C-alpha cells in the first residue's frame, strides 16, 4: 500500500491558534535544515479550536502558504485537519492535505460477530509467539486475546475506514496524508494490540502514514510528561519495532511512523524519543509541538506597557472562568488551584515576573506549572477580544516571533531531532 503524497521521515505538528505565527514557526524548521536535519512543518488545528476562535480551516492554509512563499521554503509542508470525525471532516476538504482521523470514542464498541470471526480466520499468523526484530521477547497472542482485542478495536477501525473513504472520495486517492488517532482513550495500547490494529487497518485499506497510540503516563497540555520515563522509552521502542514488523508483513505504507500527540513541552521524553528513532532509523511525528499561543502571551508580557496589561487581563479572565475553560480539557490538564496566583497578585507583577511564571523553564524559581496550564486552555479569552488582541500581536510581531522560533527550535526540534539538550 502506498500513497502518492508521502510524509517525510521527521515532521512537526504545530498549532497556530490565531494564524499569526506561521513564519516564526517555519523559521524553526529552516534552522533545523541549517543544522543538517529535515523537519517538515504540519500546521494543525481542530474543529473545536476553529469553533472557539471563530475561524475557518482555510485561514490555516492561507497563513501557511503565505509563510512558505515569504521565506522561500521549498520542502514539503502540510495542513492537518486535526481530530476529525465523520461529521466534522467536510469543512476541512478545501484547506487540508493531512487528516487525523480520531476514532478513540469507538474503541470498545463491539463489532459484528461475523466481522470478528472473519478477521480471526484470516489472521491465523497472529496466533502464538511472534518474533519482532529489535525486541528481545516475542509477542505472545492467544486465540482468546486475539478475539478480545478484535472485539475492542475492529469497530473503531471500521469507522476510520468510513471516514478515510469519505476523504478519498473528495480529495482523490494519494492526495493526502492519513493519520489514525487512538490516544484519547483510557488505557495504553500494548504492542500486541497495536499489531492487531495495524493488521486490521491494512485489511480495511487505510494507507496509514502515522498512527497515534496512547502511551502510559500523562500528556498534559503544554507541560512536561508525568510518568515513568524509563517505561515510556521501553513502550516507544516496542511500538516502533511493532510498526516495522507490520509494514513488512501487511500492505501498509513503508513510511508509517508513530505520532506523539500533545507532544508539546514533554522535555523529559525527548531524549528517549531521539535515542529510539536513531536506534531503529525511523521517523516520528511530534504533534502539537511548542505551544505557540503561550509564546504570544510571553512576547506581549515582554513588550510591557499596554501589551503587558493585556496579558494580565487575559490571566484575570481565565482565572475568573477557569472551570468553564478547563472542562473540555479535564483529562489532559492537572491544575492545582492552590498554586494559582490571584489576579490581584498578577496585576502587580513586572514583565519579568509574568514571563518567568509562564515560560516553560522548570529550573526557574518563578515558573508556575498550574498558571501555564490555565493559560494554555485560556485562548478562548483572547479570541473573544478579537481585534484588540490581534492588533497587539501585529504591533509586537518581532518580539513574539523571536519567542516562537526559539521555543520551537531550542526546546523541541533540537532535543528530539538533533539530540541536543534544550536550553
Amino acid at each position: 500500500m502506498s500513497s502518492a503524497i508521502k510524509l517525510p521521515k521527521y515532521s512537526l505538528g504545530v498549532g497556530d491558534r490565531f494564524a499569526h505565527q506561521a513564519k516564526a514557526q517555519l523559521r524553526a524548521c529552516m534552522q533545523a535544515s541549517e543544522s543538517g536535519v529535515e523537519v517538515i512543518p504540519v500546521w494543525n488545528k481542530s474543529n473545536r479550536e476553529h469553533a472557539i476562535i471563530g475561524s475557518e480551516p482555510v485561514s490555516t492554509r492561507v497563513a501557511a502558504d503565505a509563510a512558505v512563499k515569504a521565506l522561500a521554503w521549498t520542502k514539503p509542508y502540510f495542513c492537518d485537519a486535526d481530530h476529525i470525525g465523520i461529521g466534522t471532516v467536510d469543512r476541512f476538504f478545501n484547506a487540508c492535505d493531512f487528516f487525523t482521523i480520531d476514532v478513540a470514542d469507538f474503541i470498545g464498541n463491539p463489532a459484528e460477530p461475523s466481522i470478528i470471526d472473519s478477521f480471526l480466520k484470516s489472521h491465523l499468523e497472529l496466533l502464538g509467539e511472534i518474533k519482532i526484530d529489535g525486541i528481545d521477547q516475542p509477542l505472545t497472542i492467544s486465540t482468546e486475546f486475539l478475539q478480545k482485542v478484535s472485539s475492542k478495536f475492529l469497530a473503531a477501525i471500521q469507522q476510520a475506514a468510513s471516514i478515510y473513504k469519505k476523504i478519498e472520495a473528495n480529495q482523490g486517492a494519494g492526495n493526502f496524508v492519513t493519520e489514525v488517532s487512538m490516544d484519547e482513550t483510557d488505557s495504553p495500547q500494548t504492542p500486541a494490540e497495536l499489531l492487531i490494529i495495524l493488521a486490521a487497518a491494512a485489511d480495511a485499506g487505510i494507507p496509514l502514514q502515522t498512527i497515534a497510540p496512547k502511551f502510559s503516563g500523562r500528556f498534559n497540555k503544554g507541560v512536561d510528561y508525568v510518568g515513568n520515563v524509563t517505561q515510556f522509552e521501553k513502550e516507544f521502542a516496542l511500538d516502533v519495532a511493532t510498526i516495522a514488523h507490520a509494514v513488512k508483513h501487511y500492505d501498509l505504507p513503508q513510511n508509517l511512523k508513530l505520532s506523539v500527540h500533545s507532544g508539546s513541552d514533554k522535555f523529559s521524553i525527548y531524549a528517549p524519543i531521539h535515542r529510539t528513532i536513531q536506534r531503529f532509523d525511523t521517523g516520528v511525528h511530534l504533534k502539537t509541538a511548542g505551544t505557540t499561543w503561550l509564546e504570544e502571551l510571553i512576547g506581549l508580557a515582554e513588550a510591557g506597557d499596554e501589551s503587558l496589561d493585556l496579558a494580565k487581563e487575559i490571566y484575570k479572565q481565565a482565572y475568573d472562568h477557569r472551570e468553564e475553560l478547563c472542562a473540555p480539557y479535564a483529562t489532559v490538564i492537572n491544575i492545582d488551584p492552590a498554586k494559582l496566583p490571584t489576579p490581584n497578585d498578577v496585576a502587580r507583577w513586572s514583565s519579568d515576573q509574568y514571563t518567568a511564571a509562564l515560560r516553560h523553564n522548570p529550573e526557574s524559581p518563578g515558573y508556575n506549572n498550574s498558571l501555564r496550564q490555565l493559560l494554555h486552555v485560556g485562548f478562548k479569552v483572547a479570541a473573544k477580544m478579537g481585534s484588540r488582541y490581534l492588533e497587539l500581536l501585529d504591533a509586537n510581531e518581532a518580539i513574539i516571533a523571536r519567542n516562537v522560533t526559539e521555543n520551537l527550535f531550542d526546546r523541541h526540534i533540537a532535543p528530539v531531532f538533533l539530540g541536543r539538550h534544550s536550553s
Side-chain angles (χ1 to χ4, degrees), residues 9 17 27 33-34 70 76 88 93 95 140 163 203 244 258 264 311 328 386 400 419-420:
K9 188 175 184 179
R17 297 279 198 268
R27 284 192 190 99
S33 293
E34 292 162 6
T88 56
F93 285 148
T140 302
I163 299 168
D203 285 358
L258 282 174
S264 184
I400 292 171
R420 300 178 189 169

Side-chain angles (χ1 to χ4, degrees), residues 129-422:
E129 290 192 346
I130 302 168
K131 180 70 176 75
I132 306 285
D133 291 343
I135 297 179
D136 293 334
Q137 296 294 323
L139 301 182
T140 302
I141 298 178
S142 66
T143 301
E144 293 75 19
F145 181 81
L146 182 58
Q147 187 163 14
K148 179 182 176 182
V149 174
S150 301
S151 178
K152 183 178 181 181
F153 289 102
L154 281 184
I157 293 299
Q158 283 183 295
Q159 179 69 10
S162 296
I163 299 168
Y164 169 76
K165 287 169 186 172
K166 185 175 184 179
I167 301 168
E168 183 186 57
N170 190 280
Q171 308 294 90
N175 291 327
F176 58 97
V177 172
T178 304
E179 172 172 306
V180 168
S181 165
M182 295 186 166
D183 66 302
E184 294 189 358
T185 188
D186 293 334
S187 55
Q189 292 94 39
T190 66
E193 287 176 325
L194 181 60
L195 181 59
I196 295 165
I197 289 165
L198 291 173
D203 285 358
I206 307 170
L208 282 173
Q209 295 193 49
T210 71
I211 185 164
K214 181 178 176 62
F215 301 101
S216 63
R218 285 185 66 96
F219 286 73
N220 293 329
K221 294 286 186 181
V223 294
D224 204 355
Y225 173 77
V226 180
N228 185 321
V229 174
T230 302
Q231 176 64 22
F232 170 84
E233 183 165 10
K234 180 181 178 183
E235 284 180 20
F236 192 81
L238 289 171
D239 285 349
V240 166
T242 300
I243 285 173
H245 179 89
V247 168
K248 190 184 297 183
H249 289 84
Y250 301 108
D251 189 18
L252 292 164
Q254 294 294 310
N255 63 328
L256 174 59
K257 61 182 179 178
L258 282 174
S259 178
V260 181
H261 278 212
S262 293
S264 184
D265 297 78
K266 303 301 177 282
F267 301 148
S268 59
I269 62 171
Y270 286 173
I273 290 173
H274 178 77
R275 284 193 295 268
T276 303
I277 62 178
Q278 291 299 304
R279 173 184 160 198
F280 287 93
D281 187 24
T282 191
V284 69
H285 182 52
L286 187 73
K287 186 149 185 174
T288 324
T291 307
T292 294
W293 132 252
L294 293 184
E295 297 304 315
E296 290 179 339
L297 268 187
I298 289 167
L300 291 175
E302 276 190 359
D305 298 328
E306 64 174 323
S307 300
L308 174 59
D309 290 341
L310 185 77
K312 292 177 179 179
E313 184 180 336
I314 288 171
Y315 178 75
K316 181 183 185 307
Q317 291 193 35
Y319 183 92
D320 290 345
H321 298 89
R322 57 191 181 278
E323 290 186 9
E324 169 199 337
L325 293 171
C326 292
Y329 300 95
T331 61
V332 286
I333 55 174
N334 188 20
I335 294 171
D336 182 350
K339 293 184 179 177
L340 290 173
T342 68
N344 286 338
D345 290 336
V346 173
R348 293 189 290 269
W349 280 359
S350 67
S351 175
D352 287 346
Q353 285 175 297
Y354 193 108
T355 58
L358 182 54
R359 182 177 283 119
H360 196 177
N361 178 8
E363 307 300 318
S364 169
Y367 171 61
N368 188 316
N369 180 290
S370 291
L371 173 142
R372 182 174 170 86
Q373 290 182 80
L374 175 59
L375 284 172
H376 189 293
V377 300
F379 65 95
K380 185 176 183 178
V381 173
K384 287 183 176 179
M385 292 178 170
S387 60
R388 183 179 167 212
Y389 178 73
L390 300 179
E391 285 168 6
L392 282 175
L393 292 187
D394 291 334
N396 296 285
E397 180 182 355
I399 192 169
I400 292 171
R402 174 178 55 77
N403 278 285
V404 170
T405 301
E406 287 179 358
N407 175 59
L408 200 52
F409 181 78
D410 293 345
R411 298 191 185 98
H412 296 83
I413 290 174
V416 172
F417 300 106
L418 295 166
R420 300 178 189 169
H421 292 297
S422 59

